[in-house]
Amino acid sequence: MFGNYLIGLREGLEASLVVCILIAYLVKTGNQRRLPPVWAGVAMAVALSLVFGALLQFGSSTLTFQAKEALGGGLSILSVALVTWMVFWMRRTARHLKTELQGKLDAALAVGTGALVVTSFLAVGREGLETSLFIWTAVQATGDGVRPLVGALLGLATSVVLGWLFYRGALKINLAKFFTWTGAMLVVVAAGVLAYGIHDLQEADFLPGLRSLAFDVSATIPPDSWYGTLLKGVFNFQPDPTVLQTVVWAAYLVPVMGLFLLPERPKQPAATTAPA
């Protein structure tokens, strides 16, 4: 549940910040009459995310066991790739997000109403699709359709409140540090989702080694215990992972976390050419 709360909070806060920046910029530049197209784009993005999530859920329910496991494993790997790209992208652009969005909005204002709808739709839709995909894979991994959804909804609700406080100027936090810490936690969560995706592909007979266990601590950490459930919900922990799952988990977590926490190099100023 915590992992889904975290993804809902991060993705929702990104979308909330985008909407707040767009609205604040339109208001400050005297373009309040252009607000309806922005809200229309946001509504379309939210609707698309809900439809995408429904298609994943109801479409997969008609598949055979092997096909469902293959789909779940493939989408788990895809969601991990998207989340990994997202945390690195936000880490790099958090400081310059406002300037970048305002530049795009200026261009959209010059084109017309349709461009405003497209700008807000694309800005919010990406986070919505990523959230739907990650939540669906988390539901498949935990086998619980309630707590992951509740956690994600709580995260989204928190992000809306934080976005409103940002807009009102009542909340001042270092966004770069916030996205760094939450990004690091998401890398750990994504490693668990990736390992479970590998297990799904093994159950679908797409990958070998389903019976080769790396270890089995089911007696010490029963899956149905409160702490086993907690570890499962937060980190997608499995007490009896296969060797391939363990290798892939470590091969993802160690280098990705190292690269993510690596301090960014300051940009070198452009060299100036001496006059002849």
Side-chain angles (χ1 to χ4, degrees), residues 18-28 35 38-39 105 167:
V18 167
V19 174
C20 289
I21 291 171
L22 294 178
I23 292 175
Y25 189 65
L26 288 175
V27 171
K28 288 182 180 180
L35 288 176
V38 171
W39 285 116
L105 193 56
Y167 179 77

Side-chain angles (χ1 to χ4, degrees), residues 176-188:
K177 290 185 177 180
F178 173 82
F179 284 118
T180 297
W181 284 105
T182 55
M185 288 187 283
L186 270 182
V187 169
V188 177

